Amino acid sequence: REATTRLITAAAAMDPAAVGRVLDERFATASFESVVDDWLLCALDEVGLAWADGRITVAGEHLVAHAVLRRLAAAFDAAASRPGGPRVLVGLPSAVHHELGIFAFAVALRRLGVDVVYLGPDLPADAWRSALDAHDARCAVLAVPRKQDAKAAREVVAALRSADPAVTVLVGGGRQEDLTDPDVVHLGHDVV
């Protein structure tokens, strides 16, 4: 709780050094996965609430988000991928930009040695199909962070299934239950 309060205070002050200190201190306390599941995702929810109730500005929220994104990118690059192992596409459907949770999941997969192709946010259904063809992936993971993201996620699932009916599609995110396709595997809400 104290670290989350300091993060919000740093965001309100738009102090990038203080934001960085809080994040670096937290990531130094435990494994990547534990910090993400036990603190980071909840802290980011609190940052969003602080923005919604006016305690921080959009600039402060973005400062935190981009500091987290830089740390996730560094962790992704530092993780050992295993070329030739299982290849998994990971990303977000069209018009979906809340990528910190799915990117943290991609980092956790890569830390397990999975050959992750991280596609990023805002990827149209036809681009998912192209990525599936280009990478010969057997599995795709996407997220549905908000209710309004479910329609685009369904389009991705349909595009993937039309390209390869045998592809395994997994979904995470706060509104993953909005995808009711029985062939979609729901991941739950923890990165682990």
Side-chain angles (χ1 to χ4, degrees), residues 55-139:
R55 288 179 286 148
I56 65 172
T57 65
V58 170
E61 182 191 27
H62 285 199
L63 187 142
V64 170
H66 287 279
V68 171
L69 188 62
R70 288 190 304 276
R71 280 152 181 82
L72 294 177
F76 185 83
D77 288 342
S81 185
R82 184 178 13 190
R87 180 166 290 161
V88 178
L89 303 178
V90 179
L92 293 171
S94 181
V96 181
H97 298 277
H98 291 88
E99 77 174 305
L100 298 178
I102 194 73
F103 196 17
F105 182 78
V107 172
L109 274 181
R110 195 151 191 216
R111 285 170 50 88
L112 290 172
V114 175
D115 188 4
V116 175
V117 178
Y118 184 66
L119 302 172
D122 191 18
L123 198 66
D126 61 334
W128 277 89
R129 188 180 314 114
S130 296
L132 184 67
D133 292 341
H135 293 286
D136 193 32
R138 303 303 312 144
C139 184

